[in-house]
Amino acid sequence: MGLAVVAACARAAPSTRPEPAAVRAPDRTLKAVFAGSFLVGAAVNQDQFTEQDQRGAALVKAQFNTITSENVLKWERVHPRLGQYDFALPDKYVQFGKRNGMFVIGHTLVWHQQTPRWVFEDASGAPVSRDTLLARLRDHIQTVVGRYRGRVKGWDVVNEAVDEDGTLRKTPWLTILGQEYIVRAFEFAHEADPAAELYYNDYSVENAPKRNGVIALIRKLQAAGVPVAAVGLQGHNKMTWPTVAQQDSTLAAFAALGVKVNITELDIDVLPAATRSQTAEVTLSAAPAAGLNPYAGGLPDSVQQALARRYADLFGVYMKYPDVIERVTFWGVTDGDSWLNGWPVRGRTSYPLLFDRAGLPKPAFDAVIRMARPEPPVP
Ligand code: GLA
């Protein structure tokens, strides 16, 4: 049992004084308290799923019932060179999930980032033909999905194909294959594992122009008979964006399409914005500047409390849609693991998750737990 869980249980120990319902609850794990509503998960790194990071692994096992591969199933890692796959780490990732009875997610099959250049080029560096790229896509998806058939339960088939303005993003996939690449990717994945859930995953879908683009895309997939089980809202949130109203209307809009929604990469950035953009585009970078890393020595209590309230507000919206949301997955386990320590400014100290750098639950953890079992109103 991880330190954090021990600490959490310690607080729940019986006492002679009456305690509020949430504190008396016998089980203070995320997976248990939300069991009636949705799965709760985390993106895991290799130290966690190989259990080299014992504390991290224990926390994952105690708190979560679904995991997502942070990096090891991205194309550049699993298929670094033409004809050469590397399944050593992905195999361990999938085994960790199976051993612990978790719903295992594969992330991600088609993306414009973390995909090697060779995929789009011939030996002389010229763009490959449509047929060549389609054959490479098919080989990649069928090899990777086929290997984990029946064990990886859901795949982010296409990641981030829509731009901020709602048009399809101008990637080599689109340029060489045309918009049909999205349908084909889903078809290849479905052939490789007909029982796996297939997802479209993206960020900033809460902004109307992008949301409309994703809705149009999902409608097109549905019209083409593509088995898209859910839309993944990444949920790389800020303290004031998206608003509760934006989150709510986004969930309602996808519910109306008849697809499920997963919150797939949840975190909340408390640091000052380094750019004016709301994007989660991984190549964005900004120079360190005065004032951009204000909490290097620790997070002030006022900000801890504000983060807890913000998490409670977002979970309040999620809890309105228990029949639509199947899974809420955090992008990382502890604050120390988060990509937000390095993006978009390197070397910052970020606090976006529910567990602190020592693996201990933050006030935001308690706030989220309370949203699962709201205390009865005082009579
Ligand atoms: C995107 C991707 C993830 C990850 C995050 C940042 O959201 O989908 O795989 O790279 O960016 O870490």
Side-chain angles (χ1 to χ4, degrees), residues 73-75 78-79 83-85 87 106-111 115 118-119 132-150 152 154-159 173 177 180-194 196-199 226-227:
L73 278 165
K74 290 176 179 170
W75 194 311
V78 72
H79 191 181
Q84 188 188 320
Y85 287 88
F87 288 116
H107 173 83
T108 176
L109 297 170
V110 185
W111 194 22
T115 303
W118 67 258
V119 176
T132 300
L133 187 57
L134 203 56
R136 286 180 181 176
L137 181 64
R138 180 187 193 127
D139 171 71
H140 178 82
I141 292 180
Q142 298 212 328
T143 306
V144 176
V145 175
R147 184 177 182 90
Y148 300 114
R149 183 179 172 129
V152 169
W155 284 97
D156 287 335
V157 179
V158 177
N159 199 30
W173 294 115
L177 294 180
E180 179 211 359
Y181 84 89
I182 300 174
V183 172
R184 300 311 296 270
F186 276 85
E187 285 172 357
F188 295 152
H190 187 59
E191 276 163 32
D193 187 352
E197 290 188 351
L198 305 181
Y199 314 127
V226 170

Side-chain angles (χ1 to χ4, degrees), residues 70 74 107 111 114 159-160 201 234 236 265 280 282 331 339:
E70 185 180 17
K74 290 176 179 170
H107 173 83
W111 194 22
Q114 295 183 259
N159 199 30
E160 304 177 355
N201 193 52
Q234 290 186 2
H236 291 299
E265 306 188 12
V282 288
W331 201 249
W339 71 302

